[in-house]
Amino acid sequence: MPPPADIVKVAIEWPGANAQLIEMDQKRPLSSIIREVCDGWSLSGSEQFALRYADGPQLYITEQSRGEIKNGTILRLAISPGRAARQLLERIQSHGIDARLEALKELAKLSADPTFATEFINMEGIGTLARLVESGTHFGEMLAFTLTAFLELMDHGIVSWDLISLSFIKQIAGYVNQPMVDVSILQRSLAILESMVLNSHSLYHRVAQEITVGQLIGHLSNQEIQTYAIALINALFLKAPEDRRQEEYTNPLEQHLTEMASTLAQKHLRSIILNHVIRGNRPIKAEMAHQLYVLQVLTFNLLEERMMTKMDPNDQAQRDIIFELRRIAFDGENDPTGTEKRKAMYTKDYKMLGFTNHVNPAMDFTQTPPGMLALDNMLYLAKVHQDTYIRIVLENSSREDKHECPFGRCAIELTRMLCEILQVGELPNEGCNDYHPMFFTHDRAWEEFFCVCIQLLNKTWKEMRATAEDFNKVMQVVREQITRALAMKPASLDQLKNKLRGLSYSEVLRLRQSERMSQDDFQSPPIIELRERIQPEILELIKQQRLNRLCEGSCFRKLGNRRRQEKFWFCRLSLNHKVLHYGDLDESPQGEVPFELLSDKIPVSDIKSVVTGKDCPHMKEKSALKQNKEVLELAFSVLYDPDETLNFVAPNKYEYCIWTDGLCALLGREMGSDLTRSDLDTLISMEMKLRLLDLENITIPEAPPPVPKEPSSYNFTYNYS
């Protein structure tokens, strides 16, 4: 007979005594259980004690968190959070250096616990730590533990960052500015400054007055702290006032970080990131990839003002840009002196340039987006790539009217399309790592990207033998060519050109046909019958592959961890498919994690259901401001007896589909992810093509081919008869 759902069997340790094995009744008050445990060891004053997890994070057990205790958990009897906070506060103010160091080391661990943090903060503990930092008497390991504890305590959001003094900010900034500082101190100092900027508008201005771009650039060559440095640059730029983002300055390395717009475009910063980060000798981790993505988004967002600025047809300076486009393209022709003849010639030229409004082309730039950004792109092409510009314009002006590619209209629509693809003007997504290395290889990456794409558009127009009526069709093909090329992550603009050369119009048609064939098989009755016969065996193969991947396990990030100190946990299915093993890790693992390192487990028989997206408990708990579409799409939870959950946020869509499909297979339910359907259609099409080589004599096989017992990857292999 199974034990009652409210009874949890645990072991409780106490230094110098044998462990107590007890059955914890979750309906009893926690204070009553602690009193009983203390009586077992003849300890008086049970109100001065508390229960803590023996392994992993130093978390105290509270009435609110006790439901997370599992059967077989090892706990430890410890002094209560209030008593521990009081003792540590006294020890860190003692005169003995060794005692103070040990106290700070323990404080750095306990500060991650919200119960302890609340007690310590209520005793003015944060003020004590701040004064220790401001005194400047702590160095090395002692200072590192002090800063760690301070950051952990502030991260709970119990007190406001606005209470931080200017002298504390100056001291922390001083560690960043010093040439020779321990790496651990630099990491924590940069993380503290980043949190200040993100959490307080007033502190942003104070930090910006203390830190310059040149000082942060100097840290980008150090692989141990470059993630922290880029994160601080991003935070400062994200919080910079709008009027400061667009200003330009002559000496960016000495300016303060309130002037971020021109800074991010400077060759020095870009080349340092390119050479020491993107092309460094170490793989780029997820957090660095996210920071590079954020930097990319913030850089492109500088284009938003021009993108949303309409052209003023009465502004002579803006009209002069259009005149310059005409002059560069048709400079060799005679300029009639008569006003009427000149107007007639200009109208003809504007038509050849491909503007919709031949009389007043300024009207073409009054729609936002893309606004004046389209005109900026056209002028850059005409000035920097003059031969290409002239060739495109004159080449189309010599075609028949119905086949000419309207340069002006195409450039405007292409600019709008590129803004949509690169999401110009949108804020970065918290869980996204989608940065493109090629945008860090050129000082004018946006303009160069446009120049490459406008040449692609002209080439595709010719390949499609398009007319004016085909304009939207051409733009759809060009969008597909660009998005497919970007998905390949070219490392440079030259590589982008090579990728686009391989994506000609005929190749796009071939890819479309191939994808369509994999999705929409022939609809003749024999093929429909064959499909129905082979679908179960293919689906079973996919289920086996999903379960094998669950046995290998996956690493997940701790939800809500916004600082650079990444925290992970690992989950995998037992080889007999009966138990889910999971546990916390200090760092992302390389390969499989042994079962013995995973301290927690859930019997599959206890799992009641699997929920996804907004139905997950950890998505309901997050506030609307913190949620974003990407995290919501990757969230899923396992609900198991008695009314408990194990919450996941997958690192990507692939892992999400693997785990949700695998868990559904464990529960005997139908898999339904897009990845499963794509696998199913692809594999069915592959087998059907092999079985239907002789189209004149279609036969339905008597028995399905054997399914491999342990497919180890996505590259399925069959032995067909």
Side-chain angles (χ1 to χ4, degrees):
M1 181 176 178
D6 294 321
I7 301 299
V8 182
K9 296 182 179 181
V10 299
I12 302 180
E13 299 176 337
W14 176 254
N18 294 327
Q20 296 186 39
L21 302 178
I22 70 169
E23 293 185 352
M24 180 182 290
D25 186 350
Q26 295 287 44
K27 292 182 178 179
R28 289 178 58 193
L30 194 58
S31 58
S32 175
I33 297 174
I34 294 174
R35 186 184 309 111
E36 182 179 305
V37 172
C38 289
D39 291 342
W41 284 315
S42 300
L43 298 174
S44 60
S46 61
E47 67 278 0
Q48 295 295 319
F49 292 92
L51 292 178
R52 233 164 62 181
Y53 287 102
D55 300 318
Q58 301 293 314
L59 296 179
Y60 282 95
I61 308 297
T62 64
E63 290 289 354
Q64 292 73 31
S65 64
R66 63 185 298 179
E68 300 174 6
I69 302 175
K70 310 295 188 300
N71 279 318
T73 302
I74 301 176
L75 303 178
R76 178 179 300 158
L77 185 66
I79 59 175
S80 66
R83 186 178 172 189
R86 189 178 303 104
Q87 290 182 0
L88 286 176
L89 193 58
E90 293 172 355
R91 289 165 58 192
I92 64 176
Q93 298 178 84
S94 66
H95 297 291
I97 295 179
D98 293 339
R100 189 184 304 175
L101 177 60
E102 289 301 317
L104 288 169
K105 187 181 298 186
E106 186 175 355
L107 178 63
K109 293 180 181 179
L110 289 178
S111 295
D113 180 82
T115 306
F116 171 85
T118 301
E119 297 288 346
F120 190 81
I121 290 172
N122 289 339
M123 297 177 186
E124 303 296 330
I126 286 184
T128 301
L129 293 180
R131 286 191 292 273
L132 291 176
V133 174
E134 293 170 10
S135 67
T137 57
H138 283 49
F139 304 97
E141 195 176 23
M142 188 177 295
L143 177 59
F145 286 127
T146 304
L147 296 178
T148 301
F150 179 87
L151 188 58
E152 291 283 359
L153 292 167
M154 293 298 297
D155 191 54
H156 293 292
I158 299 173
V159 296
S160 172
W161 283 89
D162 289 320
L163 301 177
I164 303 302
S165 67
L166 181 59
S167 59
F168 181 86
I169 298 174
K170 287 181 177 293
Q171 190 68 34
I172 296 296
Y175 298 138
V176 175
N177 297 335
Q178 290 177 16
M180 299 296 292
V181 177
D182 186 75
V183 169
S184 60
I185 296 175
L186 265 177
Q187 290 176 342
R188 289 153 179 79
S189 298
L190 290 167
I192 289 173
L193 292 174
E194 180 197 0
S195 293
M196 288 180 183
V197 171
L198 292 176
N199 290 283
S200 172
H201 179 71
S202 61
L203 291 185
Y204 157 77
H205 294 283
R206 295 182 180 180
V207 173
Q209 292 171 358
E210 300 295 330
I211 302 294
T212 65
V213 177
Q215 290 155 353
L216 288 178
I217 287 179
H219 293 307
L220 293 179
S221 57
N222 187 331
Q223 293 180 333
E224 300 296 327
I225 59 175
Q226 56 191 196
T227 304
Y228 299 82
I230 295 179
L232 179 54
I233 291 176
N234 288 338
L236 283 157
F237 185 34
L238 189 63
K239 295 297 182 179
E242 290 293 334
D243 57 341
R244 291 288 191 171
R245 295 185 187 181
Q246 303 296 335
E247 296 180 14
E248 295 190 3
Y249 293 81
T250 57
N251 190 358
L253 296 184
E254 295 304 323
Q255 73 190 36
H256 291 289
L257 280 172
T258 48
E259 296 83 38
M260 290 298 300
S262 58
T263 299
L264 291 183
Q266 294 302 318
K267 180 178 180 180
H268 193 42
L269 175 60
R270 179 193 59 77
S271 62
I272 289 286
I273 293 176
L274 178 66
N275 295 325
H276 292 279
V277 179
I278 297 176
R279 295 177 179 174
N281 55 12
R282 294 202 311 181
I284 295 179
K285 296 183 179 180
E287 182 57 38
M288 174 59 83
H290 173 67
Q291 294 301 335
L292 292 174
Y293 155 77
V294 172
L295 183 60
Q296 172 185 292
V297 171
L298 296 178
T299 304
F300 283 142
N301 282 357
L302 294 173
L303 304 169
E304 183 181 11
E305 182 181 358
R306 295 293 285 175
M307 179 183 76
M308 301 307 295
T309 300
K310 297 180 179 181
M311 186 172 185
D312 182 0
N314 298 318
D315 189 324
Q316 187 59 42
Q318 296 179 0
R319 292 169 61 88
D320 287 344
I321 299 177
I322 298 178
F323 295 154
E324 182 69 5
L325 292 175
R326 191 211 67 82
R327 185 195 65 77
I328 294 174
F330 309 112
D331 191 38
E333 300 185 8
N334 295 326
D335 188 6
T337 55
T339 303
E340 294 300 324
K341 291 184 178 181
R342 187 164 58 248
K343 287 183 178 180
M345 189 195 75
Y346 282 4
T347 300
K348 177 184 176 183
D349 289 348
Y350 292 146
K351 180 180 179 181
M352 293 172 64
L353 279 172
F355 289 113
T356 303
N357 192 318
H358 306 153
V359 177
N360 186 7
M363 299 301 297
D364 287 15
F365 301 94
T366 56
Q367 184 177 357
T368 59
M372 290 294 292
L373 185 60
L375 187 59
D376 296 342
N377 287 339
M378 295 167 69
L379 183 63
Y380 181 87
L381 175 67
K383 290 276 192 179
V384 180
H385 301 279
Q386 192 170 115
D387 292 342
T388 300
Y389 168 69
I390 294 175
R391 175 179 57 79
I392 291 175
V393 173
L394 296 184
E395 184 180 83
N396 284 286
S397 65
S398 61
R399 294 180 187 169
E400 299 179 23
D401 286 347
K402 66 176 184 178
H403 286 293
E404 65 181 8
C405 177
F407 169 73
R409 182 184 177 191
C410 287
I412 293 171
E413 187 59 34
L414 178 63
T415 301
R416 180 188 292 109
M417 179 197 299
L418 297 183
C419 290
E420 292 175 357
I421 292 174
L422 296 178
Q423 299 180 329
V424 175
E426 297 186 16
L427 289 176
N429 291 314
E430 182 180 339
C432 186
N433 301 333
D434 188 24
Y435 80 98
H436 297 280
M438 70 176 184
F439 291 128
F440 293 87
T441 62
H442 200 283
D443 296 336
R444 305 294 294 273
W446 165 264
E447 290 86 350
E448 290 293 325
F449 182 48
F450 169 82
C451 294
V452 171
C453 293
I454 194 68
Q455 294 178 73
L456 168 71
L457 195 159
N458 188 59
K459 172 174 171 287
T460 302
W461 186 284
K462 290 187 291 185
E463 291 174 348
M464 293 178 65
R465 301 177 184 272
T467 62
E469 290 76 14
D470 302 317
F471 183 85
N472 291 333
K473 294 180 182 179
V474 175
M475 297 307 298
Q476 291 174 2
V477 173
V478 171
R479 175 187 283 270
E480 186 173 346
Q481 291 171 313
I482 294 171
T483 52
R484 286 182 183 272
L486 288 177
M488 301 177 194
K489 298 293 182 182
S492 66
L493 289 164
D494 288 336
Q495 286 191 21
L496 173 68
K497 295 176 184 177
N498 292 333
K499 301 293 184 186
L500 291 173
R501 273 194 286 269
L503 287 169
S504 62
Y505 175 56
S506 59
E507 177 64 13
V508 170
L509 290 180
R510 188 192 69 79
L511 291 172
R512 284 179 175 178
Q513 181 67 17
S514 176
E515 293 167 357
R516 191 178 300 114
M517 287 289 291
S518 67
Q519 297 172 0
D520 305 319
D521 293 317
F522 302 107
Q523 297 302 311
S524 62
I527 293 180
I528 293 175
E529 184 179 355
L530 177 58
R531 180 183 179 88
E532 292 175 351
R533 285 287 300 272
I534 64 179
Q535 179 167 330
E537 68 190 65
I538 301 295
L539 187 58
E540 181 61 29
L541 175 62
I542 294 174
K543 287 182 178 179
Q544 291 299 320
Q545 188 269 347
R546 298 291 197 267
L547 292 173
N548 287 338
R549 277 288 289 107
L550 262 62
C551 291
E552 296 174 6
S554 299
C555 180
F556 302 91
R557 279 186 64 176
K558 287 280 190 180
L559 185 64
N561 177 45
R562 297 180 58 86
R563 299 198 311 278
R564 307 287 75 75
Q565 292 89 345
E566 294 188 71
K567 298 179 182 178
F568 303 90
W569 67 288
F570 196 88
C571 187
R572 63 182 299 193
L573 179 66
S574 64
L575 299 180
N576 61 6
H577 298 177
K578 291 185 177 181
V579 180
L580 275 179
H581 295 265
Y582 65 98
D584 293 334
L585 301 174
D586 293 332
E587 58 184 16
S588 181
Q590 301 297 324
E592 293 185 6
V593 176
F595 288 108
E596 53 268 20
L597 295 182
L598 304 175
S599 57
D600 299 310
K601 59 185 178 182
I602 300 173
V604 172
S605 60
D606 289 349
I607 297 178
K608 294 188 291 187
S609 64
V610 177
V611 296
T612 61
K614 62 183 180 180
D615 295 327
C616 296
H618 57 312
M619 292 295 103
K620 294 178 181 178
E621 293 171 0
K622 289 172 69 65
S623 66
L625 293 176
K626 292 184 179 179
Q627 287 195 40
N628 59 64
K629 184 179 179 182
E630 285 70 20
V631 173
L632 202 62
E633 290 178 347
L634 298 177
F636 61 98
S637 297
V638 173
L639 310 183
Y640 62 98
D641 290 329
D643 299 326
E644 300 195 37
T645 64
L646 183 62
N647 299 318
F648 300 75
V649 174
N652 50 55
K653 190 67 175 177
Y654 174 81
E655 289 290 337
Y656 170 84
C657 293
I658 289 290
W659 276 85
T660 53
D661 286 347
L663 292 170
C664 288
L666 277 178
L667 301 179
R669 299 172 185 175
E670 182 181 356
M671 300 183 294
S673 73
D674 295 338
L675 192 57
T676 300
R677 297 304 162 199
S678 175
D679 293 343
L680 184 62
D681 291 339
T682 301
L683 292 174
I684 289 176
S685 298
M686 289 168 55
E687 180 153 339
M688 288 177 66
K689 289 174 185 177
L690 290 172
R691 293 189 182 186
L692 301 178
L693 291 177
D694 186 1
L695 296 178
E696 296 179 356
N697 185 21
I698 297 178
T699 58
I700 305 299
E702 295 298 329
V707 177
K709 293 182 179 180
E710 293 186 3
S712 59
S713 71
Y714 239 65
N715 298 320
F716 301 107
T717 304
Y718 279 94
N719 292 320
Y720 296 102
S721 58

